[in-house]
Amino acid sequence: MARNRKVTVSTDVHGHTTGWAETEPAPPVAPNPRAAAFFDVDNTMMQGASIYWFARGLAARNYFTTADLARFAWQQLRFRLLAREHAGDMSQAKEAALAFIEGWRVEDIERLAEEIFDELMAPRIWTGTRRLAQGHLDAGERVWLVSAAPVEIGRVIAARLNLTGAIGTVAEVVDGAYTGRLVGDLMHGPVKAEAVTALAAVEGLDLSRCSAYSDSANDLPMLSAVGRAVAVNPDTALLRQARQRGWEVRDFRTGRRAIKIAVPSTAAAGLVAGAVTAGMALQRRRRGDRPSGERRPVR
């Protein structure tokens, strides 16, 4: 796919930084330029967490061992069951994001994300949610993914789904490689609402004419920022809020709600667990005791 892309980084009056990346080629001028739709990714657009499937793809390519992946899954399960979504855990999640991508080249992340999307993520896209997104596109509206994943990974997913682009966590890049530092905050909770508001100001959107979709009560700020909020495959807390506020509810699961426990979507879960596996992999590469056949990312 083309490597040229529009990437925007914006800082608001409070010093918060966000970024978004449009897919290429850019879509034609929309007949409804003031409206857009914003879709959360994990358990909203796809079954499970995108960072988990990305980690599985890396394990399959021997970037770390299956034992590391098992620890990754256990950490996700533990965070989900304990519902540890408070400030301390989000601080750990931010550190995890740094560990996960430090030293990797942007082109390698994008290449691997493309491969892993086709292999593991595409079969797990919720058909119903994809149909909702297509409805907005057919109406001439732009459609953006909003994810805690690095914005480059979000852009790959958006490109594969023929969407407008993605809003995601911005990682600092120097000479084409990630430094291990974030630019701004992890794209989670209230930060998503701030990012959507910032993008709307730049793109000339009227948020009262926009829609937002999510499965998690963590995204209540984003859902509340737009004129139409839709709970998709909602967790218990979001379902309760949706009923109280009269929001539309769409559930594309087939009765196996345990899937949200098996492959959770919380930002803290995916990113903190990602740090565990990534840290192990980095240690092995530095010590030279990589698993047989491991392919080291180009640095």
Side-chain angles (χ1 to χ4, degrees):
M1 64 186 286
R3 292 296 176 188
N4 294 326
R5 61 198 182 280
K6 175 184 176 183
V7 178
T8 303
V9 176
S10 174
T11 304
D12 63 18
V13 294
H14 303 292
H16 298 145
T17 304
T18 186
W20 51 90
E22 289 188 15
T23 60
E24 293 288 352
V29 176
N32 193 0
R34 299 279 285 164
F38 301 95
F39 284 80
D40 171 55
V41 176
D42 298 345
N43 281 321
T44 302
M45 182 59 73
M46 78 166 58
Q47 177 181 313
S50 56
I51 199 69
Y52 171 81
W53 297 119
F54 187 67
R56 279 195 59 173
L58 293 180
R61 288 159 174 76
N62 295 319
Y63 281 100
F64 50 84
T65 70
T66 54
D68 294 338
L69 183 61
R71 293 185 185 94
F72 188 173
W74 165 245
Q75 288 288 338
Q76 291 204 42
L77 176 61
R78 177 173 176 269
F79 272 85
R80 183 68 178 184
L81 291 176
L82 297 179
R84 297 178 63 182
E85 287 280 290
H86 52 71
D89 286 329
M90 290 316 298
S91 176
Q92 287 183 301
K94 184 171 182 176
E95 293 177 4
L98 304 181
F100 186 71
I101 61 177
E102 181 181 0
W104 289 63
R105 297 195 64 80
V106 174
E107 62 190 34
D108 291 321
I109 288 287
E110 291 186 330
R111 173 181 54 80
L112 288 165
E114 290 169 357
E115 295 176 5
I116 293 169
F117 177 86
D118 294 340
E119 294 171 8
L120 297 176
M121 298 183 193
R124 293 172 172 85
I125 296 296
W126 294 109
T127 302
T129 309
R130 181 66 186 87
R131 188 178 299 118
L132 291 173
Q134 188 60 48
H136 286 282
L137 293 173
D138 293 343
E141 301 177 12
R142 284 165 284 181
V143 176
W144 298 82
L145 298 180
V146 187
S147 173
V151 67
E152 293 85 1
I153 293 179
R155 186 190 67 82
V156 168
I157 298 173
R160 284 298 200 256
L161 297 178
N162 297 315
L163 306 179
T164 307
I167 300 172
T169 299
V170 179
E172 185 181 64
V173 176
V174 175
D175 296 329
Y178 296 106
T179 65
R181 293 184 293 272
L182 290 186
V183 179
D185 299 315
L186 192 69
M187 191 57 59
H188 177 77
V191 180
K192 284 189 177 182
E194 295 166 3
V196 165
T197 300
L199 184 146
V202 171
E203 298 290 324
L205 300 173
D206 180 353
L207 286 178
S208 69
R209 298 170 61 179
C210 293
S211 304
Y213 299 78
S214 178
D215 74 298
S216 174
N218 293 317
D219 287 338
L220 281 171
M222 179 179 74
L223 294 168
S224 302
V226 298
R228 177 172 174 258
V230 181
V232 177
N233 306 327
D235 60 25
T236 301
L238 179 58
L239 180 60
R240 180 170 58 249
Q241 287 291 324
R243 287 172 173 169
Q244 291 176 357
R245 303 185 190 203
W247 291 346
E248 184 179 353
V249 176
R250 297 291 188 96
D251 200 325
F252 303 118
R253 295 167 293 191
T254 58
R256 294 183 298 165
R257 291 174 180 260
I259 190 65
K260 289 177 66 60
I261 298 298
V263 188
S265 65
T266 61
L271 292 172
V272 172
V276 175
T277 54
M280 292 176 182
L282 288 170
Q283 289 173 4
R284 279 199 304 273
R285 286 196 288 270
R286 288 164 181 164
R287 292 197 309 261
D289 57 342
R290 301 186 305 277
S292 177
E294 182 178 74
R295 288 175 289 180
R296 184 196 305 249
V298 177
R299 298 289 176 89

